[in-house]
Amino acid sequence: MTKRIFASIGTVAILVFLASLILILTVLQGYYSNVQKEQMKLQTSLVAEGVELSGIEYLKQLAPEEHRITWISPDGKVLYDTVNDETGMENHMDREEVKEAFADGYGESSRMSSTMTRKLFYSAKKLNDGTVIRVADARYSIWLLLFGILQPLLLVSVFAILISLFLAHRLSKRIVDPINQLDLDHPLETNDYPEIYPLQKRLAKQQEQIAKDKEKLESMSIMRRDFTANVSHELKTPIQTISGYAELMQNGMVESEDLPRVADRLYSESRRMSQLVEDILELSQLESEVDAPSKEAVDVYAAAQNAVESLAFQAEQSDVTLELTGDHVEIIGVPEQIYTILYNLCDNAIRYNRPGGSVTVRVANEPVEAVIEVTDTGIGIPEEDYDRIFERFYQVDKSHSREVGGTGLGLSIVKHAVGTHNGTIRVESVENAGSTFTVTLPKA
Ligand code: ADP
């Protein structure tokens, strides 16, 4: 970065210097050309005076190389020329400056020399006898001017370029230094340069985000660790029970009259294991952002009907009446997840109920949302556990939940599915009297 700033400043400085130089030379050329014109006018007047006084003798004694002087008769014939032999010279009447001098007493013009190698300036003055004296001189060109001051110009240029490069180096360092000195861990601690304050603010924001991400990652890794520990723990108990019974049977230690009870236990433990695996798979599918299922129109009431039908036998076995009321409501969602929400809530309402109890599912069509209420007359939930029951593996009474075949994952699956539909879930309960779970699911 320092190099780029240095190169940019250096280039700009050198370009500005060269542009100024060209401008100055152009102005100088204009100035010198005016001075030269005045000098030529004066010289022409002096020569004219000399010729008036001494005639051709005056011209003859002039050094020919100084200026070219031509004396022209009133009919344009060249009477004398300090450089060329006048006898072979053509009529000068058509020369612009000569014409002007004959007409107005004085004339001047400039044009390329006959050899086209340099530009000449001509100045002509009419004498009292009607003849004209013309003086010619090479005009200052910009190159001539440049050549004349080449040495000091080169010196000044080298000096200016060196100064520019030195200043560019210092300036680029001064620009970059505050950025290099920024404390990246605490970017807002110094505020000496308002120009880099937006950068400092962005850095601070990034730091904040990094800290948040780090925290999130840490809590995720803790959650994962806890989850693995919980899964292992939950699987260990049924595996131990099953292998224990298998060993007893292998050693012929199970009496034939105990077989139905042992088979029953083996069945319920293996059910528990497969339920746990199913719940874990369901949870991981819900959390997967890669294979997120597409949403479509779902009739919540029809989904509730399916869930109630699937659980009818279980409700009958538990001596619990299961009832569905309400209206058809269509929302945009994932059909399997809406079914899971209803199934898990009804399943809990039956499992944590009492013989002779009831479960009522109500689906209401509200203006912007579908509302599901699952009310039971079961054992209820203590108020301090309202939030915790949605955590993975949290069970109010572990042994009771295990007895009724719980895995501790049902409500966390429900909460996740409600969340992916931008809905809400809450619970109200009276211990030993029953609970109501209320879910709202936005229609759009
Ligand atoms: P589980 O598979 O153990 O039922 P859940 O996540 O579905 O796990 O529920 C967590 C805990 O919340 C349950 O263990 C139970 O203690 C309590 N719970 C859930 N639903 C009800 C309910 N309808 N009545 C009483 N307690 C409930």
Side-chain angles (χ1 to χ4, degrees):
M1 188 177 165
T2 320
K3 272 187 190 160
R4 281 185 70 175
I5 296 176
F6 168 71
S8 307
I9 299 175
T11 313
V12 168
I14 291 169
L15 284 178
V16 168
F17 170 72
L18 289 176
S20 316
L21 195 69
I22 291 169
L23 201 76
I24 290 169
L25 283 175
T26 317
V27 171
L28 268 184
Q29 195 206 12
Y31 172 74
Y32 277 121
S33 146
N34 278 339
V35 169
Q36 192 184 17
K37 263 187 197 177
E38 288 305 313
Q39 275 179 354
M40 288 279 285
K41 198 172 177 181
L42 190 69
Q43 268 176 359
T44 313
S45 296
L46 287 173
V47 174
E49 248 172 66
V51 174
E52 296 260 28
L53 287 173
S54 320
I56 200 160
E57 293 312 314
Y58 174 74
L59 292 174
K60 280 183 181 167
Q61 48 92 41
L62 284 177
E65 61 277 5
E66 283 212 342
H67 294 298
R68 182 183 159 200
I69 299 168
T70 315
W71 190 18
I72 302 153
S73 74
D75 57 359
K77 202 172 149 258
V78 177
L79 297 172
Y80 184 78
D81 192 276
T82 52
V83 176
N84 300 319
D85 180 11
E86 62 276 3
T87 48
M89 287 178 76
E90 60 184 36
N91 193 294
H92 269 45
M93 201 57 180
D94 60 339
R95 305 293 197 271
E96 207 179 309
E97 68 284 356
V98 177
K99 260 195 274 177
E100 248 177 66
F102 278 127
D104 307 327
Y106 180 77
E108 58 186 32
S109 76
S110 66
R111 56 182 172 273
M112 291 307 288
S113 68
S114 52
T115 49
M116 297 299 269
T117 48
R118 55 199 185 129
K119 203 167 186 184
L120 292 171
F121 186 75
Y122 298 95
S123 136
K125 188 174 163 64
K126 195 175 167 187
L127 307 188
N128 290 333
D129 60 0
T131 57
V132 161
I133 275 291
R134 187 189 73 170
V135 179
D137 194 9
R139 189 157 204 187
Y140 290 125
S141 77
I142 188 146
W143 303 116
L144 202 71
L145 204 67
L146 205 61
F147 188 72
I149 54 168
L150 197 61
Q151 212 179 4
L153 195 70
L154 275 176
L155 261 172
V156 170
S157 301
V158 169
F159 187 66
I161 288 169
L162 284 178
I163 291 259
S164 304
L165 294 180
F166 171 71
L167 289 178
H169 176 70
R170 281 199 58 175
L171 212 63
S172 51
K173 247 184 84 73
R174 276 184 67 180
I175 292 172
V176 175
D177 272 358
I179 300 173
N180 283 337
Q181 281 158 14
L182 262 184
D183 180 356
L184 290 180
D185 293 328
H186 313 97
L188 289 178
E189 245 167 42
T190 50
N191 188 14
D192 302 337
Y193 305 94
E195 293 83 1
I196 59 166
Y197 190 62
L199 173 75
Q200 288 173 279
K201 260 172 61 181
R202 272 178 56 194
L203 281 173
K205 222 169 153 188
Q206 260 180 9
Q207 288 285 352
E208 219 174 274
Q209 191 56 44
I210 290 170
K212 269 190 204 160
D213 288 350
K214 211 172 142 192
E215 219 171 87
K216 208 168 147 190
L217 267 173
E218 271 166 15
S219 82
M220 270 168 77
S221 103
I222 291 173
M223 261 172 72
R224 192 156 295 150
R225 222 177 36 225
D226 288 355
F227 185 73
T228 317
N230 275 319
V231 169
S232 323
H233 180 77
E234 292 299 319
L235 281 174
K236 220 164 122 189
T237 323
I239 288 172
Q240 272 173 348
T241 314
I242 290 169
S243 68
Y245 277 119
E247 204 181 337
L248 283 179
M249 285 165 89
Q250 200 182 34
N251 296 335
M253 289 170 77
V254 177
E255 302 294 330
S256 54
E257 65 264 28
D258 289 334
L259 263 177
R261 194 179 53 82
V262 170
D264 198 45
R265 192 70 200 274
L266 285 175
Y267 176 72
S268 74
E269 289 301 329
S270 57
R271 274 290 313 138
R272 232 168 77 77
M273 275 206 303
S274 76
Q275 185 60 51
L276 191 68
V277 172
E278 265 172 43
D279 283 355
I280 292 167
L281 284 177
E282 188 147 20
L283 204 60
S284 79
Q285 204 179 11
L286 269 170
E287 282 177 343
S288 150
E289 278 161 19
V290 185
D291 340 305
S294 56
K295 290 185 175 171
E296 56 187 81
V298 190
D299 182 344
V300 180
Y301 187 84
Q305 241 168 352
N306 282 343
V308 166
E309 271 166 30
S310 305
L311 289 162
F313 180 69
Q314 188 186 320
E316 202 186 307
Q317 293 272 300
S318 311
D319 191 18
V320 171
T321 54
L322 185 54
E323 193 194 0
L324 170 65
T325 62
D327 319 301
H328 283 274
V329 197
E330 217 168 65
I331 65 155
I332 301 299
V334 183
E336 299 78 31
Q337 291 181 12
I338 303 298
Y339 174 80
T340 302
I341 294 171
L342 284 150
Y343 184 94
N344 284 2
L345 290 179
C346 293
D347 183 36
N348 280 353
I350 297 167
R351 280 190 294 117
Y352 297 105
N353 221 310
R354 302 165 190 288
S358 69
V359 174
T360 311
V361 184
R362 195 173 79 87
V363 178
N365 187 0
E366 299 285 334
V368 289
E369 59 199 10
V371 179
I372 304 165
E373 268 176 19
V374 179
T375 307
D376 66 61
T377 54
I379 58 170
I381 302 159
E383 203 176 335
E384 65 269 20
D385 289 321
Y386 282 4
D387 287 333
R388 296 214 63 191
I389 53 171
F390 296 101
E391 287 172 17
R392 291 166 186 191
F393 296 108
Y394 186 79
Q395 293 169 316
V396 177
D397 179 347
K398 269 213 177 298
S399 65
H400 179 68
S401 291
R402 191 160 293 174
E403 234 167 69
V404 296
T407 60
L409 291 174
L411 283 181
S412 55
I413 291 174
V414 170
K415 192 178 176 189
H416 215 299
V418 169
T420 58
H421 287 80
N422 300 319
T424 61
I425 182 162
R426 63 169 198 278
V427 60
E428 276 164 53
S429 182
V430 177
E431 276 186 80
N432 298 317
S435 320
T436 297
F437 284 83
T438 308
V439 173
T440 65
L441 298 169
K443 285 182 187 173

